[in-house]
Amino acid sequence: MRGRVVAFLGVLVGAGLMIVGIVALRDTGDLVDSAGQLEAFARTVREGEQLGPRTVGGMEFEEVRRERGVVVFQRGESLHGPYGYAWSPQGDPGRVLEGVEWSSDAVEQRFEHLHGAFYSWQARR
C-alpha cells in the first residue's frame, strides 16, 4: 500500500512540475511579445513609486514598482509568494536589489534572466 501512495505522490509532483513549466514557457512568450511596451512603461516609473493593478503590453499586473532602477512587474501570488518579471537595464537585479526588503514577509527573492533586460522574479516567504 505504501508503495502505491509514494508512486501516486510522484505522479502528482511530476504533473505539477509539468504544469508550472508550461505556464512559465507561455508567460515567457507573452513577455517577449510585450517587451518593447513593458520597457517603455518601465522607463516612466519613478524611483520609489509603487503602482496598483494595471495592464501593460496586453499583460495584467497586480503591482508595478521601482527600486534602485529595477522595475518589478508583479503578475500574481503563488503559495510561496509574489511572482512576475523584473526589468533591470543595469544587469542582475539580485545584485542591484541586495538588501532591499519588499515587504516584511518576503525573505528571499530569486531572479532568472529571460530576454534582454528582463528577468523572471519570485519572492519566497
Side-chain angles (χ1 to χ4, degrees):
M1 180 68 168
R2 179 179 160 89
R4 287 183 182 169
V5 170
V6 171
F8 178 70
L9 291 174
V11 169
L12 286 177
V13 168
L17 290 173
M18 186 169 25
I19 290 169
V20 167
I22 290 168
V23 169
L25 287 174
R26 186 197 71 207
D27 282 351
T28 301
D30 291 346
L31 174 69
V32 171
D33 294 343
S34 303
Q37 293 174 41
L38 289 172
E39 181 174 342
F41 182 81
R43 292 181 183 279
T44 69
V45 179
R46 294 185 312 266
E47 188 65 28
E49 193 168 30
Q50 184 175 344
L51 308 171
R54 63 198 58 242
T55 301
V56 181
M59 299 173 74
E60 293 190 27
F61 300 100
E62 291 182 3
E63 181 181 275
V64 179
R65 66 190 307 165
R66 184 181 194 122
E67 294 291 335
R68 296 186 184 171
V70 175
V71 177
V72 173
F73 295 87
Q74 182 179 330
R75 297 277 329 245
E77 187 141 344
S78 70
L79 294 174
H80 302 291
Y83 65 91
Y85 303 111
W87 176 76
S88 180
Q90 63 268 41
D92 178 14
R95 178 185 50 76
V96 176
L97 295 173
E98 190 171 348
V100 172
E101 291 188 32
W102 292 94
S103 70
S104 61
D105 61 348
V107 295
E108 175 191 357
Q109 296 189 71
R110 291 185 30 207
F111 299 92
E112 183 178 322
H113 184 255
L114 294 174
H115 173 76
F118 287 95
Y119 296 76
S120 66
W121 166 71
Q122 173 76 50
R124 301 183 81 74
R125 295 188 168 97

